[in-house]
Amino acid sequence: MMNFKIPCGQQKLDLTLPDEQVVGVLESNIGTMKATGTEDEIVQAAMAKPYGGVKLSALARGKKTCTIICSDHTRPVPSKHIIPFMLKELREGNPNIDITLLIATGFHRLSVEKEMRAKFGDDIVDHEKIVVHDSADADANVKIGVLPSGADCIIDKVAANADLLVSEGFIEPHFFAGFSGGRKSILPGVCDRKTVMGNHCSKFIDSPYARTGILEGNPLHKDMVAAAKMANLAYIVNVVIDEDKKVVAAFAGDPFEAHLSGCKFLSGYCQVKAVPADISITSNGGAPLDQNMYQCVKGMTAAEATTKEGGVIIICAECADGTGGDGFYNALKNCESPQALMDEILKVPQGETQPDQWEYQIQSRILIHHPVIYVSRPEMKQTIEEMKMHYAPNLDEAVKMAKEIRGDDATFTVIPNGISVIVRA
């Protein structure tokens, strides 16, 4: 028998399967990476030798204001090991520079103080100027240009008006932007909802290049790069984290060089070959990334890439924050079928993209081809079933349900962390 630990919330669920039925175990090799120092030392070393050759302290000279774009509560970015060093170097270059931390909430709900204290620590929350971006507050945002797609590029005024704009972040595979990090701190990070929806239109999401680990030819990525350039994003500190969410590599400096180098580095550890199976078991990497169903579509896309047509996808996710979006929930709850919903989505023009449309478009794509079983907390049962999926109270029950669909001799592919891998056909 083969034994596995599948992340779910703050715990790991036990899974045991017969050896002969497991045809693939897809895991990143991040765990094999040997860190060359502490998390702080790794970040400081990257900042000491930035891509592009210009240090943050040099960029700060002569600038009156600086905005540091920071990740929000949905991202496991180890900000405590990044932001203090960015603040320190900025003030070394210019002791009088006026710094604002801008929380990049994108299209998510606003971060609350408790979440910011957990992310940054009390000292930063108590002593630094912090603004939480609100994509729905039109008065707080300003148009700075037009994207290649034709959508207006509208960003937070705190970013647009800064003399120096920099950001932190982390790089991971992303299910339609290719990778997180870099240019994503601008779009969708600090963009107005109109810009986010224009970029996340049905045509772009439907592109075969809008997939995990793909940048070249990806229409969303093209818009995101353009937005970052229009916003004059000058410098980033992006990290790669391991399964324990610890920094194992860092990339600092020019936003485009540093990010691309980080993506290439990560690909070498995350790329895995698909092993088609009747049943695929995955997760969204545990808390905080499995806090809602909206986020968990990401983990499902890894399973989607390695599950046979009609095969079952099992995802383990606590969903402590529920669905993560009313639009996402209602679209799936109220549709006649996933196919009917998809047909409707593909008719929506770019300028009329609806909130959460991209997420239920991808969820629909998955459901058209695969039954999905959620292993989650009991309170989620009704919601999961309303959204055209199946609920299981534990992994054993989920496996039993999946076998009833695909047979007792069904094959399995196990992806312990669905957002840590880039599955290639």
Side-chain angles (χ1 to χ4, degrees), residues 344-379:
E344 181 182 317
I345 293 166
L346 293 176
K347 295 176 183 176
V348 178
Q350 179 186 31
E352 297 176 25
T353 302
Q354 299 299 305
D356 302 333
Q357 177 183 295
W358 49 93
E359 211 77 7
Y360 57 76
Q361 180 175 353
I362 298 172
Q363 184 70 84
S364 297
R365 185 184 77 208
I366 293 169
L367 288 172
I368 287 167
H369 301 282
H370 309 285
V372 172
I373 300 173
Y374 252 99
V375 178
S376 189
R377 54 195 179 92
E379 293 87 349

PDB file of all heavy atoms in Angstrom, residues 344-379:
ATOM      1  N   GLU A 344     -22.948  30.279 -22.264  1.00  0.00           N
ATOM      2  CA  GLU A 344     -23.374  31.645 -21.933  1.00  0.00           C
ATOM      3  C   GLU A 344     -22.153  32.558 -21.741  1.00  0.00           C
ATOM      4  O   GLU A 344     -22.117  33.687 -22.225  1.00  0.00           O
ATOM      5  CB  GLU A 344     -24.213  31.588 -20.652  1.00  0.00           C
ATOM      6  CG  GLU A 344     -24.767  32.903 -20.178  1.00  0.00           C
ATOM      7  CD  GLU A 344     -25.550  32.749 -18.884  1.00  0.00           C
ATOM      8  OE1 GLU A 344     -26.332  31.789 -18.766  1.00  0.00           O
ATOM      9  OE2 GLU A 344     -25.350  33.590 -17.986  1.00  0.00           O
ATOM     10  N   ILE A 345     -21.138  32.044 -21.035  1.00  0.00           N
ATOM     11  CA  ILE A 345     -19.938  32.833 -20.742  1.00  0.00           C
ATOM     12  C   ILE A 345     -19.217  33.245 -22.017  1.00  0.00           C
ATOM     13  O   ILE A 345     -18.777  34.388 -22.169  1.00  0.00           O
ATOM     14  CB  ILE A 345     -18.967  32.019 -19.846  1.00  0.00           C
ATOM     15  CG1 ILE A 345     -19.569  31.795 -18.456  1.00  0.00           C
ATOM     16  CG2 ILE A 345     -17.621  32.739 -19.723  1.00  0.00           C
ATOM     17  CD1 ILE A 345     -18.830  30.739 -17.638  1.00  0.00           C
ATOM     18  N   LEU A 346     -19.086  32.314 -22.946  1.00  0.00           N
ATOM     19  CA  LEU A 346     -18.321  32.577 -24.163  1.00  0.00           C
ATOM     20  C   LEU A 346     -18.958  33.630 -25.068  1.00  0.00           C
ATOM     21  O   LEU A 346     -18.319  34.133 -25.989  1.00  0.00           O
ATOM     22  CB  LEU A 346     -18.090  31.276 -24.931  1.00  0.00           C
ATOM     23  CG  LEU A 346     -17.168  30.264 -24.237  1.00  0.00           C
ATOM     24  CD1 LEU A 346     -17.089  28.966 -25.034  1.00  0.00           C
ATOM     25  CD2 LEU A 346     -15.772  30.852 -24.023  1.00  0.00           C
ATOM     26  N   LYS A 347     -20.202  33.965 -24.798  1.00  0.00           N
ATOM     27  CA  LYS A 347     -20.886  35.003 -25.570  1.00  0.00           C
ATOM     28  C   LYS A 347     -20.706  36.390 -24.970  1.00  0.00           C
ATOM     29  O   LYS A 347     -21.079  37.392 -25.582  1.00  0.00           O
ATOM     30  CB  LYS A 347     -22.390  34.691 -25.648  1.00  0.00           C
ATOM     31  CG  LYS A 347     -22.726  33.418 -26.415  1.00  0.00           C
ATOM     32  CD  LYS A 347     -24.232  33.133 -26.356  1.00  0.00           C
ATOM     33  CE  LYS A 347     -24.581  31.821 -27.045  1.00  0.00           C
ATOM     34  NZ  LYS A 347     -26.031  31.504 -26.885  1.00  0.00           N
ATOM     35  N   VAL A 348     -20.118  36.470 -23.777  1.00  0.00           N
ATOM     36  CA  VAL A 348     -19.986  37.761 -23.081  1.00  0.00           C
ATOM     37  C   VAL A 348     -18.835  38.576 -23.676  1.00  0.00           C
ATOM     38  O   VAL A 348     -17.687  38.126 -23.677  1.00  0.00           O
ATOM     39  CB  VAL A 348     -19.734  37.537 -21.569  1.00  0.00           C
ATOM     40  CG1 VAL A 348     -19.558  38.888 -20.863  1.00  0.00           C
ATOM     41  CG2 VAL A 348     -20.883  36.758 -20.939  1.00  0.00           C
ATOM     42  N   PRO A 349     -19.088  39.783 -24.167  1.00  0.00           N
ATOM     43  CA  PRO A 349     -18.023  40.634 -24.716  1.00  0.00           C
ATOM     44  C   PRO A 349     -17.047  41.061 -23.621  1.00  0.00           C
ATOM     45  O   PRO A 349     -17.408  41.093 -22.430  1.00  0.00           O
ATOM     46  CB  PRO A 349     -18.781  41.847 -25.266  1.00  0.00           C
ATOM     47  CG  PRO A 349     -20.206  41.414 -25.370  1.00  0.00           C
ATOM     48  CD  PRO A 349     -20.412  40.409 -24.289  1.00  0.00           C
ATOM     49  N   GLN A 350     -15.828  41.441 -24.029  1.00  0.00           N
ATOM     50  CA  GLN A 350     -14.799  41.832 -23.060  1.00  0.00           C
ATOM     51  C   GLN A 350     -15.283  42.919 -22.113  1.00  0.00           C
ATOM     52  O   GLN A 350     -15.083  42.823 -20.897  1.00  0.00           O
ATOM     53  CB  GLN A 350     -13.544  42.316 -23.792  1.00  0.00           C
ATOM     54  CG  GLN A 350     -12.435  42.757 -22.842  1.00  0.00           C
ATOM     55  CD  GLN A 350     -11.251  43.372 -23.569  1.00  0.00           C
ATOM     56  OE1 GLN A 350     -11.411  43.983 -24.617  1.00  0.00           O
ATOM     57  NE2 GLN A 350     -10.065  43.204 -23.017  1.00  0.00           N
ATOM     58  N   GLY A 351     -15.927  43.934 -22.642  1.00  0.00           N
ATOM     59  CA  GLY A 351     -16.361  45.066 -21.829  1.00  0.00           C
ATOM     60  C   GLY A 351     -17.517  44.765 -20.897  1.00  0.00           C
ATOM     61  O   GLY A 351     -17.894  45.607 -20.082  1.00  0.00           O
ATOM     62  N   GLU A 352     -18.086  43.571 -21.022  1.00  0.00           N
ATOM     63  CA  GLU A 352     -19.213  43.201 -20.167  1.00  0.00           C
ATOM     64  C   GLU A 352     -18.896  42.015 -19.257  1.00  0.00           C
ATOM     65  O   GLU A 352     -19.777  41.364 -18.717  1.00  0.00           O
ATOM     66  CB  GLU A 352     -20.430  42.871 -21.042  1.00  0.00           C
ATOM     67  CG  GLU A 352     -20.917  44.064 -21.861  1.00  0.00           C
ATOM     68  CD  GLU A 352     -22.059  43.711 -22.793  1.00  0.00           C
ATOM     69  OE1 GLU A 352     -22.787  42.735 -22.511  1.00  0.00           O
ATOM     70  OE2 GLU A 352     -22.225  44.401 -23.824  1.00  0.00           O
ATOM     71  N   THR A 353     -17.594  41.721 -19.100  1.00  0.00           N
ATOM     72  CA  THR A 353     -17.169  40.650 -18.201  1.00  0.00           C
ATOM     73  C   THR A 353     -17.755  40.865 -16.814  1.00  0.00           C
ATOM     74  O   THR A 353     -17.759  41.984 -16.287  1.00  0.00           O
ATOM     75  CB  THR A 353     -15.626  40.618 -18.103  1.00  0.00           C
ATOM     76  OG1 THR A 353     -15.090  40.443 -19.415  1.00  0.00           O
ATOM     77  CG2 THR A 353     -15.160  39.477 -17.205  1.00  0.00           C
ATOM     78  N   GLN A 354     -18.262  39.801 -16.219  1.00  0.00           N
ATOM     79  CA  GLN A 354     -18.896  39.866 -14.904  1.00  0.00           C
ATOM     80  C   GLN A 354     -17.916  39.503 -13.787  1.00  0.00           C
ATOM     81  O   GLN A 354     -16.970  38.739 -14.005  1.00  0.00           O
ATOM     82  CB  GLN A 354     -20.089  38.904 -14.854  1.00  0.00           C
ATOM     83  CG  GLN A 354     -21.176  39.225 -15.857  1.00  0.00           C
ATOM     84  CD  GLN A 354     -21.772  40.606 -15.642  1.00  0.00           C
ATOM     85  OE1 GLN A 354     -22.243  40.934 -14.564  1.00  0.00           O
ATOM     86  NE2 GLN A 354     -21.732  41.434 -16.686  1.00  0.00           N
ATOM     87  N   PRO A 355     -18.125  40.030 -12.581  1.00  0.00           N
ATOM     88  CA  PRO A 355     -17.275  39.653 -11.460  1.00  0.00           C
ATOM     89  C   PRO A 355     -17.231  38.131 -11.270  1.00  0.00           C
ATOM     90  O   PRO A 355     -18.270  37.473 -11.335  1.00  0.00           O
ATOM     91  CB  PRO A 355     -17.948  40.341 -10.261  1.00  0.00           C
ATOM     92  CG  PRO A 355     -18.664  41.511 -10.864  1.00  0.00           C
ATOM     93  CD  PRO A 355     -19.142  41.031 -12.205  1.00  0.00           C
ATOM     94  N   ASP A 356     -16.054  37.607 -11.076  1.00  0.00           N
ATOM     95  CA  ASP A 356     -15.824  36.176 -10.841  1.00  0.00           C
ATOM     96  C   ASP A 356     -16.042  35.304 -12.075  1.00  0.00           C
ATOM     97  O   ASP A 356     -15.932  34.080 -11.998  1.00  0.00           O
ATOM     98  CB  ASP A 356     -16.698  35.634  -9.698  1.00  0.00           C
ATOM     99  CG  ASP A 356     -16.481  36.352  -8.383  1.00  0.00           C
ATOM    100  OD1 ASP A 356     -15.370  36.871  -8.181  1.00  0.00           O
ATOM    101  OD2 ASP A 356     -17.404  36.389  -7.559  1.00  0.00           O
ATOM    102  N   GLN A 357     -16.351  35.914 -13.220  1.00  0.00           N
ATOM    103  CA  GLN A 357     -16.663  35.137 -14.421  1.00  0.00           C
ATOM    104  C   GLN A 357     -15.543  34.180 -14.796  1.00  0.00           C
ATOM    105  O   GLN A 357     -15.790  33.032 -15.169  1.00  0.00           O
ATOM    106  CB  GLN A 357     -16.931  36.092 -15.588  1.00  0.00           C
ATOM    107  CG  GLN A 357     -17.193  35.407 -16.923  1.00  0.00           C
ATOM    108  CD  GLN A 357     -17.388  36.421 -18.033  1.00  0.00           C
ATOM    109  OE1 GLN A 357     -18.348  37.173 -18.023  1.00  0.00           O
ATOM    110  NE2 GLN A 357     -16.461  36.459 -18.992  1.00  0.00           N
ATOM    111  N   TRP A 358     -14.295  34.632 -14.687  1.00  0.00           N
ATOM    112  CA  TRP A 358     -13.137  33.815 -15.048  1.00  0.00           C
ATOM    113  C   TRP A 358     -13.050  32.556 -14.192  1.00  0.00           C
ATOM    114  O   TRP A 358     -12.684  31.492 -14.672  1.00  0.00           O
ATOM    115  CB  TRP A 358     -11.855  34.640 -14.934  1.00  0.00           C
ATOM    116  CG  TRP A 358     -11.740  35.386 -13.644  1.00  0.00           C
ATOM    117  CD1 TRP A 358     -11.134  34.986 -12.502  1.00  0.00           C
ATOM    118  CD2 TRP A 358     -12.283  36.684 -13.366  1.00  0.00           C
ATOM    119  NE1 TRP A 358     -11.253  35.935 -11.520  1.00  0.00           N
ATOM    120  CE2 TRP A 358     -11.950  36.991 -12.029  1.00  0.00           C
ATOM    121  CE3 TRP A 358     -13.002  37.616 -14.128  1.00  0.00           C
ATOM    122  CZ2 TRP A 358     -12.320  38.197 -11.422  1.00  0.00           C
ATOM    123  CZ3 TRP A 358     -13.364  38.805 -13.526  1.00  0.00           C
ATOM    124  CH2 TRP A 358     -13.033  39.098 -12.186  1.00  0.00           C
ATOM    125  N   GLU A 359     -13.430  32.710 -12.933  1.00  0.00           N
ATOM    126  CA  GLU A 359     -13.308  31.570 -12.021  1.00  0.00           C
ATOM    127  C   GLU A 359     -14.381  30.524 -12.314  1.00  0.00           C
ATOM    128  O   GLU A 359     -14.101  29.335 -12.374  1.00  0.00           O
ATOM    129  CB  GLU A 359     -13.417  32.055 -10.576  1.00  0.00           C
ATOM    130  CG  GLU A 359     -12.608  31.223  -9.605  1.00  0.00           C
ATOM    131  CD  GLU A 359     -11.125  31.546  -9.655  1.00  0.00           C
ATOM    132  OE1 GLU A 359     -10.730  32.497 -10.347  1.00  0.00           O
ATOM    133  OE2 GLU A 359     -10.343  30.843  -8.997  1.00  0.00           O
ATOM    134  N   TYR A 360     -15.614  30.977 -12.535  1.00  0.00           N
ATOM    135  CA  TYR A 360     -16.633  29.974 -12.840  1.00  0.00           C
ATOM    136  C   TYR A 360     -16.535  29.484 -14.278  1.00  0.00           C
ATOM    137  O   TYR A 360     -17.040  28.405 -14.596  1.00  0.00           O
ATOM    138  CB  TYR A 360     -18.045  30.425 -12.443  1.00  0.00           C
ATOM    139  CG  TYR A 360     -18.628  31.694 -12.992  1.00  0.00           C
ATOM    140  CD1 TYR A 360     -19.104  31.786 -14.300  1.00  0.00           C
ATOM    141  CD2 TYR A 360     -18.794  32.804 -12.170  1.00  0.00           C
ATOM    142  CE1 TYR A 360     -19.705  32.937 -14.786  1.00  0.00           C
ATOM    143  CE2 TYR A 360     -19.381  33.976 -12.653  1.00  0.00           C
ATOM    144  CZ  TYR A 360     -19.841  34.041 -13.960  1.00  0.00           C
ATOM    145  OH  TYR A 360     -20.436  35.190 -14.436  1.00  0.00           O
ATOM    146  N   GLN A 361     -15.836  30.222 -15.138  1.00  0.00           N
ATOM    147  CA  GLN A 361     -15.566  29.710 -16.480  1.00  0.00           C
ATOM    148  C   GLN A 361     -14.630  28.501 -16.410  1.00  0.00           C
ATOM    149  O   GLN A 361     -14.870  27.468 -17.045  1.00  0.00           O
ATOM    150  CB  GLN A 361     -14.940  30.798 -17.360  1.00  0.00           C
ATOM    151  CG  GLN A 361     -14.627  30.322 -18.780  1.00  0.00           C
ATOM    152  CD  GLN A 361     -14.110  31.448 -19.670  1.00  0.00           C
ATOM    153  OE1 GLN A 361     -14.099  32.619 -19.291  1.00  0.00           O
ATOM    154  NE2 GLN A 361     -13.660  31.094 -20.862  1.00  0.00           N
ATOM    155  N   ILE A 362     -13.564  28.627 -15.635  1.00  0.00           N
ATOM    156  CA  ILE A 362     -12.615  27.508 -15.510  1.00  0.00           C
ATOM    157  C   ILE A 362     -13.249  26.358 -14.730  1.00  0.00           C
ATOM    158  O   ILE A 362     -13.072  25.188 -15.086  1.00  0.00           O
ATOM    159  CB  ILE A 362     -11.314  27.982 -14.846  1.00  0.00           C
ATOM    160  CG1 ILE A 362     -10.652  29.054 -15.723  1.00  0.00           C
ATOM    161  CG2 ILE A 362     -10.356  26.803 -14.628  1.00  0.00           C
ATOM    162  CD1 ILE A 362      -9.459  29.735 -15.090  1.00  0.00           C
ATOM    163  N   GLN A 363     -14.022  26.688 -13.676  1.00  0.00           N
ATOM    164  CA  GLN A 363     -14.702  25.624 -12.931  1.00  0.00           C
ATOM    165  C   GLN A 363     -15.673  24.878 -13.834  1.00  0.00           C
ATOM    166  O   GLN A 363     -15.771  23.640 -13.782  1.00  0.00           O
ATOM    167  CB  GLN A 363     -15.446  26.210 -11.729  1.00  0.00           C
ATOM    168  CG  GLN A 363     -16.124  25.177 -10.830  1.00  0.00           C
ATOM    169  CD  GLN A 363     -15.122  24.356 -10.050  1.00  0.00           C
ATOM    170  OE1 GLN A 363     -14.649  24.764  -8.997  1.00  0.00           O
ATOM    171  NE2 GLN A 363     -14.802  23.179 -10.552  1.00  0.00           N
ATOM    172  N   SER A 364     -16.384  25.594 -14.687  1.00  0.00           N
ATOM    173  CA  SER A 364     -17.306  24.964 -15.632  1.00  0.00           C
ATOM    174  C   SER A 364     -16.560  24.068 -16.608  1.00  0.00           C
ATOM    175  O   SER A 364     -17.002  22.960 -16.921  1.00  0.00           O
ATOM    176  CB  SER A 364     -18.092  26.025 -16.408  1.00  0.00           C
ATOM    177  OG  SER A 364     -18.892  26.793 -15.550  1.00  0.00           O
ATOM    178  N   ARG A 365     -15.424  24.568 -17.113  1.00  0.00           N
ATOM    179  CA  ARG A 365     -14.610  23.775 -18.038  1.00  0.00           C
ATOM    180  C   ARG A 365     -14.232  22.430 -17.425  1.00  0.00           C
ATOM    181  O   ARG A 365     -14.291  21.386 -18.066  1.00  0.00           O
ATOM    182  CB  ARG A 365     -13.341  24.563 -18.393  1.00  0.00           C
ATOM    183  CG  ARG A 365     -12.447  23.911 -19.431  1.00  0.00           C
ATOM    184  CD  ARG A 365     -11.180  24.715 -19.625  1.00  0.00           C
ATOM    185  NE  ARG A 365     -10.214  24.512 -18.552  1.00  0.00           N
ATOM    186  CZ  ARG A 365      -9.304  25.420 -18.178  1.00  0.00           C
ATOM    187  NH1 ARG A 365      -9.254  26.597 -18.771  1.00  0.00           N
ATOM    188  NH2 ARG A 365      -8.455  25.136 -17.208  1.00  0.00           N
ATOM    189  N   ILE A 366     -13.873  22.468 -16.153  1.00  0.00           N
ATOM    190  CA  ILE A 366     -13.499  21.236 -15.449  1.00  0.00           C
ATOM    191  C   ILE A 366     -14.713  20.320 -15.292  1.00  0.00           C
ATOM    192  O   ILE A 366     -14.653  19.119 -15.574  1.00  0.00           O
ATOM    193  CB  ILE A 366     -12.886  21.573 -14.078  1.00  0.00           C
ATOM    194  CG1 ILE A 366     -11.535  22.287 -14.260  1.00  0.00           C
ATOM    195  CG2 ILE A 366     -12.708  20.307 -13.232  1.00  0.00           C
ATOM    196  CD1 ILE A 366     -10.981  22.898 -12.998  1.00  0.00           C
ATOM    197  N   LEU A 367     -15.838  20.896 -14.865  1.00  0.00           N
ATOM    198  CA  LEU A 367     -17.031  20.095 -14.595  1.00  0.00           C
ATOM    199  C   LEU A 367     -17.659  19.501 -15.852  1.00  0.00           C
ATOM    200  O   LEU A 367     -18.332  18.470 -15.783  1.00  0.00           O
ATOM    201  CB  LEU A 367     -18.062  20.934 -13.843  1.00  0.00           C
ATOM    202  CG  LEU A 367     -17.718  21.251 -12.383  1.00  0.00           C
ATOM    203  CD1 LEU A 367     -18.703  22.256 -11.799  1.00  0.00           C
ATOM    204  CD2 LEU A 367     -17.699  19.978 -11.550  1.00  0.00           C
ATOM    205  N   ILE A 368     -17.439  20.129 -16.987  1.00  0.00           N
ATOM    206  CA  ILE A 368     -17.955  19.577 -18.246  1.00  0.00           C
ATOM    207  C   ILE A 368     -17.330  18.217 -18.528  1.00  0.00           C
ATOM    208  O   ILE A 368     -17.965  17.324 -19.076  1.00  0.00           O
ATOM    209  CB  ILE A 368     -17.684  20.559 -19.408  1.00  0.00           C
ATOM    210  CG1 ILE A 368     -18.628  21.774 -19.309  1.00  0.00           C
ATOM    211  CG2 ILE A 368     -17.857  19.885 -20.769  1.00  0.00           C
ATOM    212  CD1 ILE A 368     -18.238  22.933 -20.213  1.00  0.00           C
ATOM    213  N   HIS A 369     -16.087  18.043 -18.082  1.00  0.00           N
ATOM    214  CA  HIS A 369     -15.349  16.815 -18.383  1.00  0.00           C
ATOM    215  C   HIS A 369     -15.138  15.878 -17.194  1.00  0.00           C
ATOM    216  O   HIS A 369     -14.818  14.710 -17.389  1.00  0.00           O
ATOM    217  CB  HIS A 369     -13.975  17.178 -18.960  1.00  0.00           C
ATOM    218  CG  HIS A 369     -14.047  17.997 -20.213  1.00  0.00           C
ATOM    219  ND1 HIS A 369     -14.326  17.440 -21.442  1.00  0.00           N
ATOM    220  CD2 HIS A 369     -13.913  19.337 -20.420  1.00  0.00           C
ATOM    221  CE1 HIS A 369     -14.334  18.398 -22.361  1.00  0.00           C
ATOM    222  NE2 HIS A 369     -14.099  19.553 -21.764  1.00  0.00           N
ATOM    223  N   HIS A 370     -15.336  16.406 -15.963  1.00  0.00           N
ATOM    224  CA  HIS A 370     -15.005  15.594 -14.780  1.00  0.00           C
ATOM    225  C   HIS A 370     -15.961  15.828 -13.611  1.00  0.00           C
ATOM    226  O   HIS A 370     -16.194  16.981 -13.235  1.00  0.00           O
ATOM    227  CB  HIS A 370     -13.589  15.936 -14.288  1.00  0.00           C
ATOM    228  CG  HIS A 370     -12.543  15.884 -15.342  1.00  0.00           C
ATOM    229  ND1 HIS A 370     -12.053  14.702 -15.847  1.00  0.00           N
ATOM    230  CD2 HIS A 370     -11.900  16.884 -16.011  1.00  0.00           C
ATOM    231  CE1 HIS A 370     -11.146  14.967 -16.766  1.00  0.00           C
ATOM    232  NE2 HIS A 370     -11.036  16.266 -16.892  1.00  0.00           N
ATOM    233  N   PRO A 371     -16.493  14.757 -13.007  1.00  0.00           N
ATOM    234  CA  PRO A 371     -17.176  14.924 -11.725  1.00  0.00           C
ATOM    235  C   PRO A 371     -16.134  15.357 -10.682  1.00  0.00           C
ATOM    236  O   PRO A 371     -14.998  14.876 -10.713  1.00  0.00           O
ATOM    237  CB  PRO A 371     -17.694  13.519 -11.402  1.00  0.00           C
ATOM    238  CG  PRO A 371     -17.594  12.752 -12.679  1.00  0.00           C
ATOM    239  CD  PRO A 371     -16.481  13.355 -13.462  1.00  0.00           C
ATOM    240  N   VAL A 372     -16.505  16.272  -9.794  1.00  0.00           N
ATOM    241  CA  VAL A 372     -15.591  16.757  -8.757  1.00  0.00           C
ATOM    242  C   VAL A 372     -16.146  16.408  -7.384  1.00  0.00           C
ATOM    243  O   VAL A 372     -17.318  16.669  -7.094  1.00  0.00           O
ATOM    244  CB  VAL A 372     -15.373  18.278  -8.864  1.00  0.00           C
ATOM    245  CG1 VAL A 372     -14.592  18.803  -7.665  1.00  0.00           C
ATOM    246  CG2 VAL A 372     -14.633  18.620 -10.158  1.00  0.00           C
ATOM    247  N   ILE A 373     -15.306  15.804  -6.548  1.00  0.00           N
ATOM    248  CA  ILE A 373     -15.676  15.478  -5.164  1.00  0.00           C
ATOM    249  C   ILE A 373     -14.834  16.348  -4.235  1.00  0.00           C
ATOM    250  O   ILE A 373     -13.602  16.339  -4.304  1.00  0.00           O
ATOM    251  CB  ILE A 373     -15.432  13.996  -4.847  1.00  0.00           C
ATOM    252  CG1 ILE A 373     -16.267  13.109  -5.791  1.00  0.00           C
ATOM    253  CG2 ILE A 373     -15.772  13.695  -3.382  1.00  0.00           C
ATOM    254  CD1 ILE A 373     -15.958  11.618  -5.659  1.00  0.00           C
ATOM    255  N   TYR A 374     -15.502  17.094  -3.372  1.00  0.00           N
ATOM    256  CA  TYR A 374     -14.840  17.943  -2.380  1.00  0.00           C
ATOM    257  C   TYR A 374     -14.760  17.230  -1.042  1.00  0.00           C
ATOM    258  O   TYR A 374     -15.775  16.779  -0.510  1.00  0.00           O
ATOM    259  CB  TYR A 374     -15.641  19.226  -2.170  1.00  0.00           C
ATOM    260  CG  TYR A 374     -15.036  20.485  -2.736  1.00  0.00           C
ATOM    261  CD1 TYR A 374     -15.454  20.993  -3.959  1.00  0.00           C
ATOM    262  CD2 TYR A 374     -14.052  21.184  -2.033  1.00  0.00           C
ATOM    263  CE1 TYR A 374     -14.926  22.168  -4.479  1.00  0.00           C
ATOM    264  CE2 TYR A 374     -13.517  22.353  -2.535  1.00  0.00           C
ATOM    265  CZ  TYR A 374     -13.953  22.843  -3.756  1.00  0.00           C
ATOM    266  OH  TYR A 374     -13.418  24.000  -4.256  1.00  0.00           O
ATOM    267  N   VAL A 375     -13.568  17.153  -0.466  1.00  0.00           N
ATOM    268  CA  VAL A 375     -13.404  16.729   0.925  1.00  0.00           C
ATOM    269  C   VAL A 375     -13.215  18.017   1.710  1.00  0.00           C
ATOM    270  O   VAL A 375     -12.203  18.710   1.566  1.00  0.00           O
ATOM    271  CB  VAL A 375     -12.184  15.810   1.100  1.00  0.00           C
ATOM    272  CG1 VAL A 375     -12.014  15.434   2.575  1.00  0.00           C
ATOM    273  CG2 VAL A 375     -12.334  14.560   0.240  1.00  0.00           C
ATOM    274  N   SER A 376     -14.208  18.363   2.527  1.00  0.00           N
ATOM    275  CA  SER A 376     -14.180  19.643   3.224  1.00  0.00           C
ATOM    276  C   SER A 376     -14.922  19.531   4.544  1.00  0.00           C
ATOM    277  O   SER A 376     -15.396  18.446   4.920  1.00  0.00           O
ATOM    278  CB  SER A 376     -14.811  20.720   2.330  1.00  0.00           C
ATOM    279  OG  SER A 376     -14.631  22.009   2.877  1.00  0.00           O
ATOM    280  N   ARG A 377     -15.052  20.635   5.244  1.00  0.00           N
ATOM    281  CA  ARG A 377     -15.765  20.637   6.525  1.00  0.00           C
ATOM    282  C   ARG A 377     -17.269  20.458   6.279  1.00  0.00           C
ATOM    283  O   ARG A 377     -17.797  20.863   5.224  1.00  0.00           O
ATOM    284  CB  ARG A 377     -15.468  21.903   7.316  1.00  0.00           C
ATOM    285  CG  ARG A 377     -15.723  23.185   6.574  1.00  0.00           C
ATOM    286  CD  ARG A 377     -15.077  24.381   7.250  1.00  0.00           C
ATOM    287  NE  ARG A 377     -15.343  25.585   6.465  1.00  0.00           N
ATOM    288  CZ  ARG A 377     -16.382  26.401   6.658  1.00  0.00           C
ATOM    289  NH1 ARG A 377     -17.261  26.135   7.624  1.00  0.00           N
ATOM    290  NH2 ARG A 377     -16.554  27.457   5.907  1.00  0.00           N
ATOM    291  N   PRO A 378     -17.986  19.853   7.225  1.00  0.00           N
ATOM    292  CA  PRO A 378     -19.405  19.515   7.033  1.00  0.00           C
ATOM    293  C   PRO A 378     -20.287  20.702   6.646  1.00  0.00           C
ATOM    294  O   PRO A 378     -21.250  20.537   5.902  1.00  0.00           O
ATOM    295  CB  PRO A 378     -19.825  18.954   8.399  1.00  0.00           C
ATOM    296  CG  PRO A 378     -18.559  18.465   9.015  1.00  0.00           C
ATOM    297  CD  PRO A 378     -17.480  19.388   8.534  1.00  0.00           C
ATOM    298  N   GLU A 379     -19.935  21.894   7.133  1.00  0.00           N
ATOM    299  CA  GLU A 379     -20.749  23.080   6.851  1.00  0.00           C
ATOM    300  C   GLU A 379     -20.784  23.417   5.356  1.00  0.00           C
ATOM    301  O   GLU A 379     -21.651  24.159   4.906  1.00  0.00           O
ATOM    302  CB  GLU A 379     -20.200  24.289   7.624  1.00  0.00           C
ATOM    303  CG  GLU A 379     -20.332  24.187   9.135  1.00  0.00           C
ATOM    304  CD  GLU A 379     -19.169  23.462   9.793  1.00  0.00           C
ATOM    305  OE1 GLU A 379     -18.349  22.851   9.065  1.00  0.00           O
ATOM    306  OE2 GLU A 379     -19.087  23.488  11.029  1.00  0.00           O
TER     307      GLU A 379
END
